[in-house]
Amino acid sequence: MSEPLVEVTDLAVDFPVGGSGTYVRAVDQVSFTLEPGGALGIVGESGSGKSTVAAALLGLHRGTGARLAGSVRVGGTDVAGASAAQLRALRGATAAMVFQDPLSALDPYHAVGDQIAEVYRVHADVPRRAARVRAAEVLDRVGIPDAVRRARARPHEFSGGMRQRVLIAMALACEPRLLIADEPTTALDVTVQAQILDLLHGLREERGLGLLLVTHDVGVAAESVDELLVMREGSAVERGPVGRVLTAPSHAYTKALLAAVPRLDGPPVLRPAGPAGPDPAGTRAPASDPVQTAAYGSGTAPVPRKVAAPVPGPADPTAGAGAGAGAGAGVDGGADAAVPVVEAVALRREFGRGKRRVAAVGGVSLAVHAGETLGIVGESGSGKSTLGRMLVGLLEPGSGHVRHDGRRTGGIVPGVQMVFQDPVSSLNPRRSVGESIADPLRAAGERDEAAVRARVAQLLVRVGLEAGHYDRYPHEFSGGQRQRVGIARALAPRPRLIVCDEPVSALDVTTQAQVTALLAELQRELGIALVFIAHDLAVVRQVSDRVAVMRGGLVVEEGPVDQVYDRPRHAYTRRLLAAVPALDPELAAARRTSRQEVLAQAAS
């Protein structure tokens, strides 16, 4: 019998807390093995220790002050006892890692092809020209079109999804025996996600590549792995074949985690029934966590649902009393319910010059009313984010215009906020998260620092963090926690419109449920209009009243969410829906086979 590719025994990882000499345990007595060619998925909430385990396989905790106990062997190498030279040989040639955040993992000053070529030359004695050819090969392999030309581009010239594909290409450059993928499809739309998962499956079949997949998306795990390891608070609570864990989980936490997974056929998020009364401070506690309720309450609580409802009246202009009241009340202090909060009229925006000029948005018209959520879906590069930035005034349209509360506007107007896709680049690393959240309050004229700090503390609690996190910095939080900070910042001035650009893409399913329920609650209280841009079609169905499907800068289909999802008219919409990961491994395998057949027919 062959030696396991990965063998982890009683792994424990403790991290130092400041300079106090105390430690906090991030991973506690975790054990597992992975055979050559096998695939293991590690799932759990943010902070459960998933990424910490993955980093330990490559010795990435060395020199950080962390304390490790137990044994980790990868490809026959004892990671704890390996020399620096042995670790270099292990990283890249034996095992490679795809990190969660492509923006911080790629050097912004160098072309992506040169960065891949450099990695390849570290492990292969080849000239620069051959290394560049290899870089173009792997870029093409992960689905980047015109790979030779795009290899000369820098990271900022790619979308978030394209940057993630570059990281995967870099990891594959040396044909490692083990690929450690930490949230590799987080920033990818469903069609590209399906391509990447098919690619990983094909590599396993062709070369016996082992895969350790860290993900908060249980559907992605169902499509990709043979076994699942479920983690909670640093411990492994359940492990077994993926089919058994998904269909007959034995642990209450696993059951609750699966119950919180958004599904295409699942119900929407419900606005809390009945009037709740005013909440002028905007500090009402967040909706209950369905995973916690299910795991530790009586029975299994369903994810909150949103039901179709008449468009509510305008937000109470007195609800925003205090900091940011003017913004929260809208441009004119009130609005007719029949008048859209935001309306796009024939918006068009182009980028580039000459022959390379591209219409990112090619003439889009749509409207969103108070208390309504418009979901916008489409592949990377379809124009979703560009449209969202024009709606909030961060980009000027090339032609067409935007109306807020019936008035034609230009630039940024009061009452409009945005939650950005990438929390790393949207938060200032030199400022505490509390100060970042406080910025909109001070910009709105609030000068009472005690009131500002109190409001920020309330918002931190509301999005699932702690009031004491005010003085912490972005690097001290996980990716999901940083996204929550971005949401709190957008909520600070009590806006009438929030444009959310992938607001839950970095969050685990538990936190997704909390955030979507929170947004629904805010809509009920203040009549906030939401534009929800996302590549996760299941989440969009849960939170949206209407949905617009974008392709190539145009809206190809728009309508009530149930109509578009259940009876899609456009072939592109049907293709998007067919690419959504399924929780049933057998169905996932059937879909993979179908996609391969379509590609084979297209090639012939």
Side-chain angles (χ1 to χ4, degrees):
M1 186 174 180
S2 62
E3 181 182 28
L5 180 59
V6 177
E7 189 171 10
V8 176
T9 305
D10 295 332
L11 174 64
V13 182
D14 299 330
F15 289 120
V17 180
S20 62
T22 60
Y23 288 79
V24 60
R25 176 144 293 190
V27 174
D28 189 22
Q29 304 296 308
V30 170
S31 300
F32 63 88
T33 59
L34 177 63
E35 300 299 324
L40 172 68
I42 304 180
V43 299
E45 298 173 278
S46 296
S48 62
K50 308 185 303 294
S51 296
T52 302
V53 171
L57 300 187
L58 292 179
L60 297 180
H61 298 305
R62 185 173 293 189
T64 65
R67 299 188 311 197
L68 276 73
S71 171
V72 177
R73 296 184 66 85
V74 177
T77 299
D78 180 358
V79 177
S83 64
Q86 289 173 321
L87 278 182
R88 282 196 299 270
L90 172 68
R91 299 167 181 167
T94 301
M97 190 165 188
V98 178
F99 292 95
Q100 179 177 358
D101 178 28
L103 199 64
S104 60
L106 293 169
D107 189 326
Y109 294 103
H110 294 91
V112 297
D114 290 342
Q115 295 184 57
I116 296 172
E118 180 182 2
V119 170
Y120 186 57
R121 293 190 70 208
V122 167
H123 299 281
D125 186 14
V126 297
R128 292 183 183 275
R129 182 179 180 84
R132 291 195 184 101
V133 170
R134 177 60 178 166
E137 288 176 354
V138 291
L139 286 171
D140 179 71
R141 196 171 192 177
V142 299
I144 293 182
D146 196 6
V148 174
R149 180 179 66 84
R150 297 306 302 275
R152 298 192 291 271
R154 286 168 174 76
H156 73 272
E157 299 179 74
F158 292 85
S159 67
M162 296 282 271
R163 285 194 291 264
Q164 192 68 285
R165 281 189 265 181
V166 169
L167 281 189
I168 295 172
M170 185 180 294
L172 296 175
C174 299
E175 299 288 352
R177 295 168 56 197
L178 170 67
L179 183 65
I180 304 169
D182 188 357
E183 303 283 5
T185 60
T186 294
L188 304 184
D189 58 68
V190 290
T191 53
V192 177
Q193 177 176 267
Q195 293 170 10
I196 296 300
L197 296 179
D198 290 349
L199 171 63
L200 295 176
H201 181 79
L203 289 169
R204 289 181 54 207
E205 288 189 333
E206 295 168 13
R207 294 175 173 79
L209 177 73
L211 174 65
L212 182 79
L213 177 66
V214 175
T215 180
H216 66 259
D217 191 329
V218 183
V220 167
E223 294 238 351
S224 312
V225 302
D226 307 317
E227 289 190 291
L228 274 183
L229 177 70
V230 182
M231 292 190 65
R232 180 175 184 268
E233 296 181 351
S235 298
V237 299
E238 184 164 359
R239 182 190 174 190
V242 61
R244 197 273 298 163
V245 173
L246 293 180
T247 58
S250 59
H251 197 279
Y253 176 76
T254 308
K255 295 176 184 177
L257 194 66
L258 293 173
V261 175
R263 303 170 189 255
L264 277 182
D265 57 354
V269 175
L270 175 68
R271 303 180 196 279
D279 180 24
T283 59
R284 190 169 277 124
S288 60
D289 178 350
V291 169
Q292 297 296 328
T293 302
Y296 307 108
S298 56
T300 300
V303 178
R305 305 177 180 183
K306 176 184 176 113
V307 295
V311 175
D316 178 4
T318 66
V331 175
D332 57 2
D336 186 342
V339 177
V341 173
V342 65
E343 184 177 7
V345 181
L347 287 186
R348 183 178 180 86
R349 175 73 190 219
E350 296 180 341
F351 293 101
R353 297 179 180 177
K355 294 181 179 179
R356 294 187 177 181
R357 196 167 185 83
V358 175
V361 175
V364 170
S365 297
L366 49 79
V368 189
H369 289 79
E372 181 184 38
T373 299
L374 173 68
I376 301 180
V377 300
E379 294 176 290
S380 296
S382 63
K384 306 187 302 297
S385 295
T386 301
L387 175 60
R389 287 171 181 263
M390 286 192 287
L391 293 179
V392 300
L394 291 177
L395 281 177
E396 288 291 333
S399 61
H401 62 273
V402 178
R403 295 175 183 153
H404 289 93
D405 295 312
R407 298 180 179 180
R408 183 167 175 168
T409 59
I412 299 173
V413 299
V416 176
Q417 290 290 312
M418 188 166 190
V419 177
F420 295 93
Q421 176 179 0
D422 182 13
V424 174
S425 60
S426 64
L427 292 173
N428 189 333
R430 298 179 182 274
R431 305 187 71 210
S432 73
V433 298
E435 289 298 299
S436 291
I437 297 171
D439 282 343
L441 300 175
R442 296 189 178 114
E446 178 59 69
R447 295 294 178 262
D448 185 339
E449 285 302 312
V452 168
R453 196 171 183 101
R455 171 69 173 161
V456 172
Q458 293 161 351
L459 288 165
L460 285 168
V461 171
R462 185 157 195 173
V463 297
L465 299 173
E466 299 176 12
H469 289 163
Y470 187 107
D471 296 313
R472 292 191 181 183
Y473 289 82
H475 72 271
E476 298 180 71
F477 295 87
S478 68
Q481 290 172 323
R482 285 192 291 261
Q483 192 66 291
R484 288 189 244 183
V485 171
I487 293 169
R489 180 175 58 184
L491 294 175
R494 302 175 179 87
R496 278 180 50 78
L497 168 68
I498 299 179
V499 175
C500 303
D501 189 358
E502 301 284 3
V504 296
S505 63
L507 306 183
D508 56 65
V509 293
T510 307
T511 310
Q512 282 183 356
Q514 291 177 326
V515 170
T516 53
L518 172 61
L519 291 174
E521 183 182 345
L522 288 164
Q523 281 186 311
R524 178 182 66 89
E525 294 169 2
L526 302 175
I528 292 174
L530 290 177
V531 175
F532 197 95
I533 301 168
H535 66 262
D536 191 328
L537 274 74
V539 171
V540 169
R541 178 164 197 172
Q542 283 196 327
V543 304
S544 303
D545 300 299
R546 292 185 297 115
V547 64
V549 182
M550 291 192 68
R551 184 187 189 192
L554 299 173
V555 174
V556 299
E557 185 163 0
E558 181 183 0
V561 66
D562 289 340
Q563 175 183 306
V564 172
Y565 275 67
D566 296 338
R567 298 178 298 281
R569 301 187 309 272
H570 200 281
Y572 176 72
T573 307
R574 293 193 290 270
R575 183 159 68 90
L576 283 180
L577 292 170
V580 175
L583 285 180
D584 182 349
E586 293 185 2
L587 177 58
R591 286 183 174 181
R592 184 186 303 115
T593 300
S594 177
R595 289 192 294 265
Q596 292 171 344
E597 290 174 350
V598 170
L599 289 175
Q601 291 173 0
S604 64

